[in-house]
Amino acid sequence: MVIKTDELPAAAPTDSARDHSLPAGGKGRPGAAEPPSVMLLNGDCPESLKKEEGVAEPPRENGLDEAEAGDETTGQEVIVIQDTGFSVKILAPGIEPFSLQVSPQEMVQEIHQVLMDREDTCHRTCFSLHLDGNMLDHFSELRTIEGLQEGSVLRVVEEPYTVREARIHVRHVRDLLKSLDPADAFNGVDCNSLSFLSVFTDGDLGDSGKRKKGLEMDPIDCTPPEYILPGSRERPLCPLQPQNRDWKPLQCLKVLTMSGWNPPPGNRKMHGDLMYLFVITAEDRQVSITASTRGFYLNQSTAYHFNPKPASPRFLSHSLVELLNQISPTFKKNFAVLQKKRVQRHPFERIATPFQVYSWTAPQAEHAMDCVRAEDAYTSRLGYEEHIPGQTRDWNEELQTTRELPRKNLPERLLRERAIFKVHSDFTAAATRGAVAVIDGNVMAINPSEETKMQMFIWNNIFFSLGFDVRDHYKDFGGDVAAYVAPTNDLNGVRTYNAVDVEGLYTLGTVVVDYRGYRVTAQSIIPGILERDQEQSVIYGSIDFGKTVVSHPRYLELLERTSRPLKLLRHRVLNDRDEEVELCSSVECKGIIGNDGRHYILDLLRTFPPDLNFLPVPGEELPEECVRAGFPRAHRHKLCCLRQELVDAFVEHRYLLFMKLAALQLMQQKAGKAEGPATLENGGPLSSEATPEDCPGPEAGNEEEGSNASGLAKVKELAETIASDDGTDPRSREVIRNACKAVGSISSTAFDIRFNPDIFSPGVRFPDSCQDEVRDQKQLLKDAAAFLLSCQIPGLVKDCAEHAVLPMDGATLAEVMRQRGINMRYLGKVLDLVLRSPAREQLDHIFKIGIGELITRSAKHIFKTYLQGVELSGLSAAISHFLNCFLSSYPNPVAHLPADELVSKKRNKRRKNRPPGAADNTAWAVMTPQALWKNICQEAKNYFDFSLECETVDQAVETYGLQKITLLREISLKTGIQILLKEYSFDSRHKPAFTEEDVLNIFPVVKHVNPKASDAFHFFQSGQAKVQQGFLKEGCELISEALNLFNNVYGAMHVEICVCLRLLARLHYIMGDYAEALSNQQKAVLMSERVLGIEHPNTIQEYMHLALYCFASSQLSTALSLLYRARYLMLLVFGEDHPEMALLDNNIGLVLHGVMEYDLSLRFLENALAVSTKYHGPKALKVALSHHLVARVYESKAEFRSALQHEKEGYTIYKTQLGEDHEKTKESSEYLKCLTQQAVALQRTMNEIYRNGSSANIPPLKFTAPSMASVLEQLNVINGILFIPLSQKDLENLKAEVARRHQLQEASKSRDKAEEPMATEPEPAGAPQDMASQPGAAKDSSPSLQA
């Protein structure tokens, strides 16, 4: 597929194709001119941007020049996805007929699901649908059914039960009874998770006008709770999970369980008995129920006497609910109310999430009898609920078959991605359940005679192994430590190869689970692998780290296809017989052909090249930058690899360098040597490694818009020359050769950088003929290690100082680091750089988050080994003791040994074969706070190379300004601990903060692959690009289309859908459709709570956006309670001193100003002013705006002196930053005049009163309450939303201007930023930095899809 590069705007598929193919809301897909497959195959976006730099460039092999897998989109017409829906009539027994909207793609099964969810038909599960007397097949699509059309009548026909159907029915009834009970969400089962939005919005937001009276000016209580006021020191935990009114569920039954008389004896089976249930009704009546093929009826059995004869009343009901309605009036009444409430909840509160989210706190819950949970616990839960024939699922077959689905056009790709995603989420759930069972000792090992650490398990067609170094496999790499990190490295490899998605190459389903201090790897099983010996099966790669190596032509061919996007070099190594063997991956990567004939690769733990900063090699010198930073440092294991993001950023950086070198040389040739160097601004020779200022990372060059056009034209000319003459012109060939050599390209005719992952691998030897290549590769690795230190880390710190990224907790900081390819082991280095940064003050929040992360990660490492020595009966005691030592100020907490509760008569002999956690070990009980903190400081030094200056938790809190509650949250999330929701007195010196009753649970921490929806993502990106160019409506359509596709692949709940909804809400808001904005943002908040967690930083942001749209829709009290919630969460997650807090407090202050709560408003606005001044500097435009907001409140209070003082500050900033004539400066000056007049008027009046006493003739003073419109206008300004009232002509001009700038920006990308800054165009008037260029604004108008 050929892409003409000069027609493409950045990161957006070509627009021309798009504009014609998408009528309003049209569901189309552009055809040929579309590069998204490039993005997908490279597995990252920056890579693909290279193709779009606005210049046709010399040939280069890292981009995908020729078509490859996934590129079959060429020449494909627009495909309509959505056929129009139609409605059918449903006739169900016992209720009025109703009509139902369906779509032709749906299966009959989906109508079943709808009926099982509807309030009036939810109690039926065992029925079929008939059309004109013919039964419809469950799995057929509606469009394939003859005679099914608008207005057809579908009849619900009750079917006879089987044991399976009866069980499904009982389970469904149990789910209906529990539908409002949050127990499953707190216990982390069945993909339930928590959401609290409805507590704060008081029901649904949609019917804004109807429920709220007029402008809601009746008094609202605005007083925030004490603990969220600025300056408050207390950080309570209980408000995190407010009690929801609906949670005290109405009791319909006391008990519903399986009866002890199951299973039915033979003679009863032959009467149709399937199983027996035992029920105690709310009226305390005990009844025994028979489930038979015809339905449910009461029998005469009691607890101790079996009598299966029907009891009176002899009522047979096809549904258990109808039978219970007959025998219990309370059940009838409460069940009806319950179902009403259930269907009133927002669907997003009820839908299951794709992956389980665990809550780290939970309230004390009474443990109730629950037949379904009991049954699940005792059957190994492999049974019928995975509704497929053959009972256990063949995971490997499912995972591989979905990958083999066709992918020629959009509908096929959607179907394929949907299947891949579904199987992955099911596999992850099953693997997690299995791993927990393995560690809890519920699974028999396949090698039971071996020592515990060496045991392996198979359960549910999944293979489980523990993260220990068995058989000294990793002896040379760091033993157990290496065995512990290998699974996560392997998982990253699987993720990468899955993303490249080469046809014919298969990886194993892989999930890594950390639970109770153990690491378990779960993998799908290659067919036939268990019958063969590993030596026989491996036909590619090495099973002993490079001593014996084999290769295979088919594997080389398949892996060759991945080498380009993964930047891997095909290379030769020597085997034990000194023969040369060719490989296209690291030696550990093994190729095995399964009995199914598929080519599998496994052990991908070294997919990427090694990180030399952490791999000292005798006799090798690292570049100066590395040595200065104290590298190389010996790490605990030798499996440290560079991240894929780093490799991509490095290659991107080298590419810009390559273009620059080529341009420089060509200009020198063209211009003769005389004036050559002068034309390029930095005429000096180029070093092959750049300084930090030289490389702000992959985004180089966006900042300069106007540019030296002549230099640019020459680069362009060079590119065209090289592209056009096919390399026949010796001069340009020479230029390319020199540039290639300078940047370390492996080809001398095109830019192509690749890494050999086996360099510096112990045990791997290279043939003599490759020595030059090996030397170059070693240099390249050293350069990459230096690039990480000299470009990526400074780039990260710079972005943080400019607030281009705003991490709020450990997880978001880690994500920001990883996006730039910086591994967490560099955290100490990042903190060092923050400490030395000139902008240290502006990086305070980053330093705090970093220190918190460093402490909790070190504590997690210690906790892992600590837990391994604890037997199950002592788990809660051990965890609470650890938390006391970690966080409580109580100087000498004592551990409670489990023997306290029960005394056993005789100690049983030690058994050899215990589950891994059953060591008779009470060593954990002797840990003290002093020892733990000493270990934490040691660990921080050894692992992160950072010296902590604290010996106790209180010193840490004091020195670094941390919060104990934040540390508790971080350690709980990292280790899977769940604690009781209550207030903990961390600082008490008289009693420990935690008791063993406070530790409720320990959950697995799961790492897995996240399959992506590629087409949807490209629509989303194009939509974003359109929005950034100012085409809001087109952008909105594309993003709505992306939303459809995301829903198609992921189902209703997913992080990426959340981002999509947020952007849609913002667009609708800007276009003035508040109701639509509100509805989309409500979904975004619910989804963020459910998928990321109720206090995740992303959720906090979503709450803030929703509050703004509520305010705009005149729901003031709702807006305030949402903002208060956001502030509480932010205090819990980080504390008060965060740049984002300034924005939040400005929002709160403005809303309070609007409802005339002036004193409260000032508290928040003045706090925002202080925080802004700290993080943006006293001269920033944000600070000027903050002064103005404070001045307005003082004006409303008639305290003109203070108002004048603040407005003057603001005026001074505007004047110095923007100049006298800027519109902002003039506005401020006007406002000052107006304030002065008011102050003078007030003074006159006061004087009049003093002179004439009470008889004074006082003119009434004008005090204005702020209008809602003016408050909303200010809210929009601080949230970075601009409404530009423009005429059509202005709009056209603006679009042209945007397009022109866009081209310039593209052009400037090919020049590195190193050229001295040119005169950039002045900011267009009316868009001072405050609004448009605010990081907040930029951040939100184009949210990046985060992995």
Side-chain angles (χ1 to χ4, degrees), residues 573-774:
V573 299
L574 293 175
N575 66 9
D576 49 348
R577 295 196 294 280
D578 286 340
E579 297 157 350
E580 291 191 10
V581 180
E582 193 160 23
L583 295 175
C584 200
S585 64
S586 67
V587 284
E588 301 82 18
C589 169
K590 304 173 188 42
I592 296 180
I593 299 182
N595 285 358
D596 51 3
R598 293 189 179 107
H599 291 74
Y600 292 93
I601 49 170
L602 55 156
D603 287 353
L604 308 174
L605 52 141
R606 297 178 49 139
T607 303
F608 290 105
D611 179 354
L612 291 195
N613 288 329
F614 285 94
L615 189 71
V617 182
E620 291 289 345
E621 282 291 307
L622 282 187
E624 184 197 347
E625 299 95 314
C626 302
V627 179
R628 266 206 314 269
F631 289 109
R633 293 188 60 230
H635 202 54
R636 304 187 167 172
H637 57 80
K638 295 185 176 168
L639 295 178
C640 293
C641 295
L642 297 172
R643 294 186 65 87
Q644 185 179 9
E645 297 91 339
L646 184 90
V647 171
D648 291 340
F650 176 71
V651 172
E652 174 73 13
H653 169 64
R654 280 292 165 101
Y655 177 62
L656 292 171
L657 200 60
F658 166 75
M659 287 303 283
K660 220 157 80 176
L661 286 169
L664 186 64
Q665 290 189 5
L666 203 82
M667 288 153 97
Q668 286 175 345
Q669 282 185 3
K670 289 256 164 90
K673 295 290 178 237
E675 26 123 3
T679 39
L680 247 167
E681 271 74 1
N682 56 345
L686 269 156
S687 66
S688 84
E689 203 41 65
T691 55
E693 301 75 66
D694 195 27
C695 53
E699 309 85 80
N702 297 10
E703 276 78 302
E704 332 158 337
E705 309 203 333
S707 65
N708 174 340
S710 70
L712 191 73
K714 294 200 167 135
V715 175
K716 199 159 184 175
E717 196 182 322
L718 147 89
E720 281 159 8
T721 325
I722 296 172
S724 60
D725 70 11
D726 306 325
T728 43
D729 174 2
R731 282 200 317 180
S732 61
R733 252 203 325 236
E734 175 71 14
V735 166
I736 297 268
R737 191 174 310 120
N738 293 343
C740 281
K741 187 160 186 248
V743 297
S745 166
I746 56 165
S747 147
S748 60
T749 54
F751 175 85
D752 189 2
I753 283 190
R754 307 207 189 174
F755 289 91
N756 175 346
D758 283 331
I759 299 282
F760 297 126
S761 205
V764 176
R765 299 175 304 139
F766 298 100
D768 294 340
S769 56
C770 305
Q771 287 316 312
D772 286 355
E773 181 189 291
V774 169

Side-chain angles (χ1 to χ4, degrees), residues 857-876:
R857 276 178 183 266
S858 304
K860 178 186 80 170
H861 296 170
I862 297 162
F863 184 67
K864 180 188 81 192
T865 38
Y866 171 88
L867 266 195
Q868 288 178 4
V870 179
E871 56 181 31
L872 196 49
S873 61
L875 210 51
S876 59

Side-chain angles (χ1 to χ4, degrees), residues 117 119 176 179-181 244-251 333-347 349-350:
D117 199 53
E119 190 183 347
L176 291 176
S179 54
L180 295 181
D181 182 0
N244 195 328
R245 285 195 303 274
D246 294 342
W247 280 357
K248 280 288 151 248
L250 302 152
Q251 198 180 33
K333 185 174 107 220
N334 287 355
F335 187 77
V337 177
L338 194 67
Q339 293 324 306
K340 229 179 209 59
K341 277 194 172 165
R342 178 178 69 88
V343 294
Q344 277 165 2
R345 288 175 72 195
H346 195 286
E349 294 182 66
R350 317 188 269 142

Side-chain angles (χ1 to χ4, degrees), residues 86 102-104 106-108 111 140-145 148:
F86 56 92
V102 294
S103 124
E106 283 179 15
M107 290 187 180
V108 176
I111 301 184
S140 49
E141 288 192 2
L142 298 186
R143 58 175 171 213
T144 61
I145 298 169
L148 184 62

Side-chain angles (χ1 to χ4, degrees), residues 281 285-290 296-300 308-317 322-329:
T281 66
R285 179 178 169 198
Q286 304 195 359
V287 291
S288 201
I289 296 176
T290 300
F296 296 82
Y297 60 84
L298 299 184
N299 63 37
Q300 295 179 26
K309 296 275 184 290
S312 61
R314 296 190 167 204
F315 178 77
L316 173 76
S317 155
E322 284 172 2
L323 177 65
L324 293 168
N325 277 341
Q326 290 289 322
I327 61 172
S328 165

Side-chain angles (χ1 to χ4, degrees), residues 219-349:
I220 25 183
D221 179 26
C222 313
T223 332
E226 238 351 90
Y227 55 81
I228 67 161
L229 285 172
S232 160
R233 306 295 315 147
E234 60 170 323
R235 300 280 181 265
L237 186 56
C238 289
L240 177 61
Q241 293 172 342
Q243 282 303 304
N244 195 328
R245 285 195 303 274
D246 294 342
W247 280 357
K248 280 288 151 248
L250 302 152
Q251 198 180 33
C252 299
L253 291 174
K254 288 196 170 161
V255 177
L256 162 66
T257 72
M258 298 294 167
S259 156
W261 298 114
N262 282 317
N267 65 329
R268 288 310 304 170
K269 248 191 197 164
M270 297 163 87
H271 281 84
D273 290 8
L274 301 172
M275 62 186 192
Y276 305 118
L277 304 171
F278 175 65
V279 170
I280 303 180
T281 66
E283 296 87 357
D284 271 332
R285 179 178 169 198
Q286 304 195 359
V287 291
S288 201
I289 296 176
T290 300
S292 74
T293 48
R294 295 166 51 220
F296 296 82
Y297 60 84
L298 299 184
N299 63 37
Q300 295 179 26
S301 300
T302 64
Y304 306 109
H305 177 69
F306 180 62
N307 181 356
K309 296 275 184 290
S312 61
R314 296 190 167 204
F315 178 77
L316 173 76
S317 155
H318 192 265
S319 136
L320 181 57
V321 172
E322 284 172 2
L323 177 65
L324 293 168
N325 277 341
Q326 290 289 322
I327 61 172
S328 165
T330 315
F331 179 87
K332 185 173 186 173
K333 185 174 107 220
N334 287 355
F335 187 77
V337 177
L338 194 67
Q339 293 324 306
K340 229 179 209 59
K341 277 194 172 165
R342 178 178 69 88
V343 294
Q344 277 165 2
R345 288 175 72 195
H346 195 286
F348 282 8
E349 294 182 66

